[in-house]
Every structure is written in structure tokens, then in C-alpha cells.
């Protein structure tokens, strides 16, 4: 439709109705008028055909052992999730939907996933050890006190220390004797 044939009063009515119910900054008013005018001009026209997307590489060739290729731009990397989010503004699901991919289409190189998995397993990540749980249950059942030998982070209770032989010896020795015991032993004279 020709924009000259659009009734300006119709555009004004729509803009006034919108402004009554919404707050606008004076700078936004001009943009609103032009967008309404343009929208009225497109009424009755067939919609513009969507552009047909052509991938940078075929879907079959986008996943390799050591890298994956972005179908939008041809970027090669070990993973695509961060790339498609930063460069194309898409989530993994939106990317798969855009290109008509299955929900299990890989966005991480298989070799990279295997290396990361092996590293995590060697570090012992993801394992649930049954023994600490069993000892904790036995500990609770056996006594309400905390055993410092089994639990290094156990809190100490305040109270008098038990007298042991090492404490008695330390109390009886003089400071000179302690200093001598720390010093190097005298070397035999030749």
C-alpha cells in the first residue's frame, strides 16, 4: 500500500489511544508515530517470505571427533554452547530448533567429552562413598560424644587436660635443659 494514501487521522487516533494508556518519554513519540504509520501501510499485503537458512556446513559434517562446527557461521571449537550464546544470542535449544536438529544433537566434541570425563573420574568426582555414611551412623549409635581420631574437624571440649608422662616431664625439666635438648649434640673431639 502506498504510504501517501494512509489517512493521517487514523494514525493519530491509534497513537492517542496508545498514549492514554502508556507512559512515554517525548523522544519516543516520534518513533511511535512512524512505526504505527508503517504498520498501517503494510496492512493487507502478503507477509514477506522468511529467508531460507543455509548452514555453513552440512549437519552430518558439523560434529567431528575433536571439534564441532557452528551451522550459522562455521566456527570450529570444542564446545558450541558459549559461542552460540555470545555470538548469536541463542540458547542450545533455540539453536537446535533454528536448524531443525534433534534434541540429542551434540554441541560438544565427543573426544573432548571423553577427556573431561576421564579427568573427573581420576579425581574421584561424582562418586558417592558408602563408608563415610556407615561410620557416621555407627558413631551416632555408639556414643553421643565426638571421636577426634575419626573426625579431624571435631570440636575440642574445654576442660582439664589429663596428666600424662610427657606433661610431668616437661613440668619438671628446667628451661636450660630444654634449650640443651634442642641444640645440636656436641661433636666428639678428635
Amino acid at each position: 500500500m502506498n504510504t501517501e494514501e494512509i489517512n493521517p487521522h487514523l494514525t493519530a487516533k491509534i497513537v492517542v489511544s496508545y498514549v492514554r494508556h502508556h507512559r512515554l518519554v517525548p523522544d519516543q513519540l516520534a518513533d511511535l508515530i512512524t512505526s504505527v504509520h508503517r504498520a498501517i501501510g503494510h496492512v493487507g499485503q502478503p507477509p514477506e517470505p522468511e529467508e531460507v537458512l543455509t548452514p555453513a556446513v552440512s549437519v552430518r559434517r558439523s560434529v567431528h571427533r575433536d571439534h564441532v562446527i557452528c551451522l550459522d557461521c562455521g566456527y570450529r571449537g570444542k564446545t558450541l554452547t558459549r559461542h552460540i550464546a555470545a555470538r548469536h544470542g541463542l540458547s542450545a535449544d533455540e539453536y537446535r530448533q533454528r536448524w531443525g536438529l534433534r534434541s540429542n544433537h551434540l554441541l560438544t566434541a565427543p573426544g573432548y567429552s571423553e577427556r573431561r570425563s576421564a579427568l573427573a573420574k581420576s579425581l574421584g568426582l561424582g562418586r558417592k562413598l558408602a563408608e563415610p555414611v556407615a561410620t557416621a551412623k555407627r558413631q551416632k549409635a555408639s556414643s553421643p560424644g565426638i571421636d577426634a581420631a575419626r573426625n579431624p574437624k571435631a570440636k575440642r571440649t574445654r576442660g582439664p587436660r589429663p596428666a600424662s608422662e610427657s606433661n610431668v616431664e616437661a613440668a619438671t625439666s628446667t628451661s636450660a635443659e630444654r634449650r640443651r635438648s634442642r641444640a645440636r649434640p656436641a661433636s666428639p673431639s678428635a
Side-chain angles (χ1 to χ4, degrees), residues 40-101:
I40 292 173
H42 291 296
V43 170
Q45 293 181 352
E48 295 178 11
E50 292 183 20
E51 63 181 73
V52 178
L53 296 174
T54 54
V57 296
S58 70
V59 174
R60 279 185 31 213
R61 296 183 53 94
S62 66
V63 178
H64 294 271
R65 176 102 183 115
D66 295 325
H67 64 275
V68 286
I69 301 172
C70 177
L71 297 175
D72 283 331
C73 62
Y75 167 81
R76 288 181 179 205
K78 294 178 183 176
T79 64
L80 287 182
T81 50
R82 183 177 288 168
H83 166 75
I84 60 176
R87 181 91 184 259
H88 305 293
L90 299 171
S91 69
D93 293 332
E94 291 170 342
Y95 175 78
R96 288 183 180 115
Q97 185 179 19
R98 178 178 188 168
W99 292 104
L101 304 172

Side-chain angles (χ1 to χ4, degrees), residues 6-188:
I6 298 172
N7 186 355
H9 296 293
L10 180 61
T11 304
K13 274 184 162 181
I14 294 172
V15 169
V16 167
S17 176
Y18 183 84
V19 171
R20 277 189 192 144
H21 299 289
H22 298 86
R23 289 187 178 185
L24 291 177
V25 181
D27 298 338
Q28 295 175 334
L29 189 59
D31 293 334
L32 178 64
I33 294 170
T34 55
S35 64
V36 169
H37 186 72
R38 190 176 312 121
I40 292 173
H42 291 296
V43 170
Q45 293 181 352
E48 295 178 11
E50 292 183 20
E51 63 181 73
V52 178
L53 296 174
T54 54
V57 296
S58 70
V59 174
R60 279 185 31 213
R61 296 183 53 94
S62 66
V63 178
H64 294 271
R65 176 102 183 115
D66 295 325
H67 64 275
V68 286
I69 301 172
C70 177
L71 297 175
D72 283 331
C73 62
Y75 167 81
R76 288 181 179 205
K78 294 178 183 176
T79 64
L80 287 182
T81 50
R82 183 177 288 168
H83 166 75
I84 60 176
R87 181 91 184 259
H88 305 293
L90 299 171
S91 69
D93 293 332
E94 291 170 342
Y95 175 78
R96 288 183 180 115
Q97 185 179 19
R98 178 178 188 168
W99 292 104
L101 304 172
R102 295 186 318 257
S103 61
N104 62 352
H105 183 80
L106 298 176
L107 297 181
T108 304
Y112 180 68
S113 294
E114 290 170 6
R115 284 193 302 272
R116 297 288 295 200
S117 175
L119 177 66
K121 287 177 184 175
S122 70
L123 293 174
L125 301 176
R127 294 185 189 155
K128 294 184 180 178
L129 300 176
E131 187 175 323
V133 174
T135 58
K137 287 181 181 177
R138 271 190 268 130
Q139 184 179 14
K140 285 182 181 178
S142 64
S143 68
I146 298 173
D147 186 9
R150 281 191 255 157
N151 187 358
K153 293 186 177 180
K155 290 188 175 182
R156 292 185 180 178
T157 58
R158 294 192 185 256
R161 285 183 161 179
S164 65
E165 292 177 22
S166 62
N167 288 344
V168 174
E169 288 174 9
T172 58
S173 65
T174 63
S175 60
E177 289 175 349
R178 279 186 252 152
R179 274 186 257 133
R180 265 189 258 126
S181 66
R182 289 184 193 151
R184 291 185 185 180
S187 60

